[in-house]
């Protein structure tokens, strides 16, 4: 598209740029909006679209430039430009600009010059929204930053306690046990956690034994989560080729003794020690295996419209 852009009429170029955007072909869309801006350098809408395209390309500096230019060229406040400028500024660590953007949107944040660090409530975050889109809960510490509260699946590339940058547009809702909370797409990890994710396969003949394990604590172990019921995509034991029975221990069929657990811990040794104590403390308990995978964060592919709300809302 870039080579032919200068030969197109304005209307042809306009149609092609927006069509590329609609298809999620961000690089072609960016080239198209760049040519439109060459012809109309003071068109705020083209600056806005260029800023939007580069937001989803995660090219934060370019996105910030065009969103600020979009706002500067308008007489009225453009909240979308201000929000996107705030997201890009946050990604860049430009806290003065981020705070200015939120203030211009009428959002109150604590006084200060550095990053916002407050409690804006619990939300749900969709990790890797261009892929499987695992959703989990997080606590917002900023307008567009949140700390993960669940143990993500190892395949996500994220960890419990990571601070992530999320988009400003809600893409669904999820019940947190009390109320429905908004779902936001994660854009990038801004600060990694000190914890790693370990998958433990245990067997326990009763629910009370698992509840005891989940409530146990040890130095260097931040959180334990029972994925058996919360992860719906597939059987983790099958995926790891761990022997198991898919059996229940009561007539109602409500208890699965083989449990798949996610540990947020600093080392495998800490997980092993905690589980060894748990196994010794009760009958009908066993440890079947501990797995660790180190997975890199995934990258979106061009041609995906991943920023829109999906047609379904995942449970995990």
């Amino acid at each position: 598209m870039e080579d032919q852009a200068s030969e197109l009429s304005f209307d042809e170029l306009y149609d092609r740029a927006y069509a590329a955007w609609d298809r999620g072909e961000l690089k072609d869309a960016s080239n198209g909006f760049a040519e439109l801006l060459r012809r109309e350098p003071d068109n705020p809408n083209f600056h806005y679209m260029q800023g939007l395209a580069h937001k989803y390309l995660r090219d934060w500096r370019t996105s910030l430039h065009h969103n600020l230019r979009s706002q500067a060229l308008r007489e009225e406040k453009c909240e979308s430009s201000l929000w996107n400028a705030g997201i890009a500024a946050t990604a860049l660590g430009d806290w003065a600009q981020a705070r200015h953007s939120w203030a211009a949107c009428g959002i109150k944040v604590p006084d200060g010059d550095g990053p916002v660090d407050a409690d804006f409530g619990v939300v749900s975050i969709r990790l890797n929204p261009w892929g499987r889109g695992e959703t989990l809960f997080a606590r917002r510490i900023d307008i567009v930053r949140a700390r993960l509260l669940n143990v993500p699946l190892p395949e996500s590339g994220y960890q419990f306690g990571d601070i992530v940058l999320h988009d400003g547009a809600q893409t669904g809702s999820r019940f947190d046990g009390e109320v429905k909370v908004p779902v936001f797409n994660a854009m990038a990890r801004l600060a990694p956690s000190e914890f790693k994710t370990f998958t433990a396969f245990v067997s326990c003949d009763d629910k009370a034994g698992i509840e005891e394990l989940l409530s146990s604590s040890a130095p260097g172990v931040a959180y334990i989560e029972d994925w058996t019921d919360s992860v719906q995509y597939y059987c983790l034991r099958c995926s790891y080729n761990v022997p198991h029975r898919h059996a229940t221990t009561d007539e109602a069929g409500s208890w699965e003794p083989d449990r798949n657990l996610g540990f947020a811990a600093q080392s495998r040794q800490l997980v092993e020690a905690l589980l060894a104590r748990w196994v010794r403390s009760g009958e009908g308990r066993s440890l079947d295996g501990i797995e660790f995978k180190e997975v890199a964060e995934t990258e979106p592919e061009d041609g995906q419209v991943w920023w829109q709300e999906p047609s379904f809302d995942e449970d995990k």
Side-chain angles (χ1 to χ4, degrees):
M1 181 175 179
E2 188 174 13
D3 294 337
Q4 303 172 352
S6 60
E7 302 175 5
L8 297 174
S9 70
F10 181 87
D11 289 343
E12 289 173 327
L13 180 61
Y14 181 99
D15 290 343
R16 289 186 64 170
Y18 279 90
W21 162 257
D22 290 339
R23 294 191 301 269
E25 295 172 356
L26 296 176
K27 294 178 182 178
D28 281 350
S30 173
N31 291 335
F33 292 125
E35 178 62 21
L36 287 169
L37 283 168
R38 189 184 69 79
R39 301 185 192 189
E40 293 189 3
D42 292 333
N43 187 312
N45 294 326
F46 297 156
H47 279 288
Y48 170 75
M49 290 304 299
Q50 188 71 305
L52 188 62
H54 281 267
K55 179 178 80 166
Y56 292 121
L57 283 167
R58 301 187 298 175
D59 174 6
W60 306 117
R61 198 166 298 282
T62 302
S63 180
L64 178 60
H65 167 77
H66 286 284
N67 278 295
L68 291 178
R69 187 63 181 149
S70 168
Q71 178 57 64
L73 289 167
R74 301 175 193 269
E75 294 182 1
E76 303 293 331
K77 179 174 72 174
C78 177
E79 193 159 300
S80 294
S81 295
L82 291 169
W83 263 90
N84 289 336
I87 292 169
T90 299
L92 293 167
D94 185 346
W95 305 117
Q97 180 58 58
R99 286 172 173 272
H100 176 79
S101 295
W102 306 139
C105 289
I107 301 172
K108 292 183 179 180
V109 298
D111 294 337
D113 299 323
V116 176
D117 190 359
D119 184 355
F120 289 87
V122 172
V123 296
S124 184
I125 297 294
R126 181 176 287 109
L127 304 178
N128 303 315
W130 43 83
R132 296 189 65 134
E134 174 188 358
T135 59
L136 39 65
F137 292 111
R139 184 167 298 280
R140 292 173 80 186
I141 61 172
D142 192 350
I143 308 304
V144 289
R145 289 188 303 145
R147 180 178 286 109
L148 301 183
L149 297 176
N150 290 114
V151 183
L153 293 174
E155 290 77 9
S156 72
Y158 286 84
Q159 315 290 343
F160 169 89
D162 283 349
I163 295 178
V164 302
L165 177 75
H166 66 76
D167 205 356
Q170 180 177 340
T171 58
S173 61
R174 188 179 175 201
F175 187 63
D176 71 352
E178 296 182 357
V179 297
K180 279 191 172 184
V181 298
V183 177
F184 296 103
N185 285 338
M187 302 285 287
R189 173 165 46 197
L190 295 182
S193 166
E194 63 181 298
F195 301 102
K196 300 177 181 179
T197 300
F198 298 89
T199 305
F201 302 106
V202 305
S203 293
C204 184
D205 287 343
D206 58 84
K207 184 177 181 180
I210 290 297
E211 291 177 343
E212 176 190 326
L213 176 57
L214 297 179
S215 63
S216 60
S217 61
V221 178
Y223 193 63
I224 309 170
E225 187 168 342
D226 187 353
W227 287 335
T228 312
D229 298 322
S230 62
V231 179
Q232 305 294 331
Y233 294 136
Y234 53 80
C235 173
L236 284 181
R237 290 172 178 250
C238 291
S239 72
Y240 281 107
N241 294 317
V242 173
H244 58 295
R245 44 187 166 152
H246 281 296
T248 56
T249 58
D250 65 357
E251 293 181 359
S254 60
W255 179 250
E256 167 63 59
D258 290 337
R259 314 303 291 182
N260 312 317
L261 307 177
F263 279 74
Q266 292 175 334
S267 73
R268 181 189 183 100
Q269 290 74 20
L270 294 171
V271 177
E272 290 175 339
L274 189 154
L275 286 170
R277 291 195 299 272
W278 173 76
V279 169
R280 291 194 301 266
S281 67
E283 298 293 329
R285 303 176 181 183
S286 66
L287 170 61
D288 302 324
I290 300 174
E291 298 287 343
F292 173 72
K293 284 184 178 180
E294 195 159 13
V295 180
E297 295 177 64
T298 65
E299 299 285 338
E301 295 181 4
D302 208 33
Q304 294 177 295
V305 189
W306 52 266
W307 46 87
Q308 294 183 356
E309 183 173 352
S311 57
F312 60 92
D313 201 6
E314 303 92 341
D315 292 328
K316 178 72 171 80

